[in-house]
Amino acid sequence: MKPVLKLAIQRKGRLSEGSLELLRDCGITFSRSNGKLKVFCDNFPLQILFLRDDDIPPLQILFLRDDDIPAIVAGSVADLGIVGRNLLVESRAEVQPVRDLGFARCRLAVAVEKTRSWAGLDDLEGKWIATSHPRILADFLERRGVDARIRRIAGSVEIAPAIGMAEAVCDLVSSGSTLLSNGLREVETVFQSSAQLVATPELPAQKSELLERLLLRIQAVLRARTHKYILLNAPEAALEEICRLLPGMKSPTVSRLNQPGWVSVQSVVKEEEFWEMVDRLHEMGAEGILVLGLEKMVF
Ligand code: PRP
Ligand code: ZN
């Protein structure tokens, strides 16, 4: 029987939209009629590109609860998974980290009722904290030398103080709106999380080959998300300095403007560095600066 590369993603929740968007941006398509939980991709790998196409395992997507993904990948039921770092660390599942995917960023944080005074973590000494991440919380409290008691709850953690179950909670926060609507305020960050691509510990060779191809696409998409294409006009005298500021993928493209002494420079910059660079570029005499989004960036 032909092997199949199985990728587990979250069925619905914090990571599912980002996971589907990533697959879509990677050019991987599938049709998912009436909530099917197991689908084959139509176009990955593209068989025409392979000589030994019989050997190439097709890609299948499994839609699961995020909490189940670490164990399912550790146990080789799925070969790959996309899951939050919080669940990976909490579950202690033995999986291979492959790539931080950068989306679904959130944090595990301690929160207390907003009417409660807060002088610091010592306030939690001897108190109950409700969480669905007891291991991460226990490690954190131990590192900070706080002797608090942990009450495990699988969901709706934010309700705990209001029903007398705990004096504080330790839960995932992204926008903060769940805490706010439950009268809680964040007082301490415990752990930072984002979506991770993980693999089963011993991936067979054929499947690893396919993972490499998938990763090439993923990296191209992720890089494009954090970079911008920049075009500008500059006096030729400033060219050397500008090229040092905008090294690009190899080096910037420079072309001559139809005006003596002026050139056009094209390069790629990290989005987070762009605004800082604009000031420097202006100082160097650059003008007509255009910035364009990128779709894919392959090295
Ligand atoms: C988390 C957490 C909060 C909410 C916080 O649940 O338990 O309920 O998200 O997000 P906010 O700060 O944007 O309001 P999640 O969506 O991960 O669901 P789950 O725990 O059932 O998987
Ligand atoms: Zn969950």
Side-chain angles (χ1 to χ4, degrees):
M1 209 175 64
K2 191 166 168 169
V4 174
L5 183 77
K6 297 185 183 121
L7 166 66
I9 68 171
Q10 190 188 30
R11 180 186 183 185
K12 91 179 186 279
R14 174 185 307 282
L15 288 121
S16 58
E17 203 184 306
S19 306
L20 291 171
E21 193 184 346
L22 179 66
L23 291 173
R24 200 168 47 237
D25 288 352
C26 287
I28 294 170
T29 60
F30 49 83
S31 54
R32 194 179 164 212
S33 50
N34 46 40
K36 268 183 92 166
L37 299 179
K38 200 175 83 172
V39 298
F40 275 108
C41 297
D42 309 323
N43 60 347
F44 188 82
L46 249 189
Q47 302 292 350
I48 50 164
L49 296 180
F50 295 92
L51 298 173
R52 307 165 290 123
D53 53 10
D54 285 350
D55 295 343
I56 305 296
L59 179 64
Q60 190 175 51
I61 312 292
L62 312 180
F63 295 86
L64 293 162
R65 253 200 81 143
D66 59 349
D67 314 57
D68 292 328
I69 293 176
I72 279 174
V73 175
S76 300
V77 175
D79 305 293
L80 305 172
I82 297 180
V83 67
R85 199 165 81 88
N86 58 303
L87 289 181
L88 281 180
V89 174
E90 183 62 30
S91 68
R92 299 190 182 159
E94 291 189 16
V95 296
Q96 281 187 67
V98 178
R99 185 77 164 76
D100 181 348
L101 299 173
F103 62 83
R105 283 190 194 283
C106 58
R107 56 197 178 274
L108 256 183
V110 174
V112 295
E113 282 175 301
K114 62 171 185 273
T115 50
R116 193 188 178 92
S117 67
W118 180 258
L121 275 177
D122 287 345
D123 286 6
L124 294 177
E125 200 70 34
K127 302 286 191 314
W128 287 101
I129 310 173
T131 188
S132 50
H133 294 75
R135 287 170 161 173
I136 296 179
L137 177 59
D139 286 349
F140 172 79
L141 293 172
E142 198 189 318
R143 277 200 310 276
R144 304 289 290 263
V146 179
D147 195 13
R149 292 180 285 181
I150 298 175
R151 203 151 245 168
R152 190 180 186 284
I153 179 171
S156 301
V157 177
E158 296 83 357
I159 204 175
I163 59 172
M165 195 185 171
E167 280 92 1
V169 301
C170 172
D171 198 19
L172 288 179
V173 182
S174 66
S175 66
S177 69
T178 308
L179 289 184
L180 200 68
S181 10
N182 288 284
L184 300 174
R185 106 183 132 99
E186 197 178 335
V187 289
E188 192 87 30
T189 301
V190 172
F191 185 88
Q192 299 281 356
S193 185
S194 59
Q196 309 288 317
L197 177 66
V198 293
T200 195
E202 276 162 38
L203 201 60
Q206 288 167 313
K207 292 185 178 183
S208 301
E209 220 178 286
L210 196 56
L211 171 59
E212 287 306 314
R213 287 172 194 277
L214 182 61
L215 259 183
L216 180 109
R217 295 194 190 194
I218 291 176
Q219 320 251 57
V221 168
L222 295 182
R223 254 186 240 119
R225 286 181 184 174
T226 52
H227 289 74
K228 296 280 173 201
Y229 194 72
I230 180 169
L231 293 104
L232 55 88
N233 296 330
E236 207 166 358
L239 186 58
E240 210 172 297
E241 209 181 351
I242 286 177
C243 290
R244 269 202 302 277
L245 188 66
L246 303 174
M249 285 169 72
K250 198 173 186 99
S251 76
T253 306
V254 179
S255 38
R256 200 155 290 284
L257 286 192
N258 197 20
Q259 185 175 335
W262 279 80
V263 288
S264 159
V265 180
Q266 301 170 32
S267 191
V268 170
V269 295
K270 278 207 177 116
E271 181 163 28
E272 58 184 19
E273 292 169 5
F274 171 71
W275 289 109
E276 295 290 317
M277 280 183 177
V278 166
D279 293 337
R280 298 280 317 279
L281 289 166
H282 275 145
E283 283 162 24
M284 294 171 191
E287 36 182 78
I289 303 173
L290 301 179
V291 177
L292 285 75
L294 291 165
E295 186 140 333
K296 312 278 186 283
M297 199 171 151
V298 184
F299 282 133

